[in-house]
Amino acid sequence: MSRAFLVVMDSVGIGGAPDADRFFNGTTPDTGANTLGHIALACAAGRADTDRAGPLHLPNLDRLGLGAAMELASGLAPPPGLGAAPQGLWGAATEVSNGKDTPSGHWELAGVPVPWDWHHFPDTQPAFPPDLSARIAALAGTDGILGDCHASGTEIIARLGGEHIRTGWPICYTSADSVFQIAAHEKHFGLDRLLDLCRRAAPILHAMRVGRVIARPFVGTVEGGFTRTANRHDYAIAPPSPTLCDWAQADGRRVHAVGKIGDIFSMRGIDDLAKGDDAALMGHLARLVDTAEDGSLTFANLVEFDSLYGHRRDVAGYARALERFDAGIGPIIAALRPGDMMLLTADHGNDPTWTGTDHTRERVPVLVAGLGAGALGHLAFVDVAATIAAHLGLTRRGPGRVVA
């Protein structure tokens, strides 16, 4: 029985979204954003040579059709390093959900477009309604909250970490995404206390159509600086209807989650979860290619492209992450069994050359290993779920069309 591996390269967009003019970073529309293309151009021009050098080197992804998918999506001729003749199935997918965030992208890839508009907090200070701030403080057992604004996570803990330790108040902030983030010191506030606070706050925010409450624990001192830890946890609103994961589980198939997938889908339709940094997640993915059961679905998210480099507008760091991923995915693809499908895609963009610090509205690549070669053309996000469901022979296949 065939197996399927759905791998999301978080934020590796390829430009060309037809509605990019409706999405903004600050006052700048996302028109023209192209995460992969602009990184490749910067590398070719020698502007991304920190701890790496030369054109972007992605032989395994490009061999599947990454450069061709980017040209299809955006019209940008492949820069140096992205010109291989495709040996896999390749195409470009366009999102319809009214968002450029993690839940919207992943849910739609799993067959469920978001049927509502997310709530976003205004870029003002304070950013949150006073009654919401008061409820969060009451849940935390404090007299107030810190932050109450749009902010970068690393910047706000550097700025307010000392006051947080002194007062005990949680640091609450948001971004252009539909999120409510709470940062707290693992020792002085307590990791378990932070997770419990976010868990209890989540229903309040979800009722407002805020997509995620995110626990952002950190460690360190005022003198030595503060560092976020790997103990982040997302409390996401549940998908509004059954997803690819539920379809597979309903047919008695095992569903393995790697990375943020458990958080994004509220563990619905998922049998087991493996977490860690991206290096560890690649190890988990390799293990599952070796051990996953016949007929199973493995759904993985590699997040550090987005979290460590996209939001921080670090072009060289993003390029290094792409090259590390490419080097790691080659042996994993080679280990696929006959009849397996591995589909690599993304959930949105996060162009590190763009203004602002938030996601960018872009098309995403669809690269399929294990099923021959050919052009898939333009796809909808939901076609990913329909195609995987058909490959696995699932009873339900959702609203998309089967393309491979």
Side-chain angles (χ1 to χ4, degrees), residues 131 146 292 307:
D131 61 330
L146 301 175
S307 63

Side-chain angles (χ1 to χ4, degrees), residues 196-218:
D196 182 64
L197 170 60
C198 292
R199 179 185 58 78
R200 291 190 293 148
I204 300 170
L205 276 301
H206 293 168
M208 299 170 63
R209 295 295 191 220
V210 175
R212 287 176 293 163
V213 175
I214 306 177
R216 291 288 198 175
F218 63 94

Side-chain angles (χ1 to χ4, degrees), residues 37-118:
H38 290 159
I39 292 170
L41 288 170
C43 291
R47 299 194 305 271
D49 285 353
T50 304
D51 297 325
R52 61 164 308 282
L56 190 63
H57 185 63
L58 305 175
N60 293 301
L61 294 173
D62 197 31
R63 193 177 301 118
L64 287 176
L66 181 59
M70 185 194 69
E71 184 173 15
L72 173 67
S74 65
L76 178 66
L82 291 176
Q87 298 176 29
L89 295 171
W90 59 275
T94 303
E95 184 174 10
V96 299
S97 297
N98 189 26
K100 51 177 179 175
D101 50 79
T102 295
S104 296
H106 281 77
W107 292 0
E108 194 167 329
L109 289 168
V112 181
V114 179
W116 57 67
D117 287 337
W118 296 107

Side-chain angles (χ1 to χ4, degrees), residues 321-337:
L322 284 168
E323 290 171 338
R324 283 195 302 270
F325 176 81
D326 186 87
I329 203 65
I332 293 173
I333 291 173
L336 293 171
R337 300 173 189 167

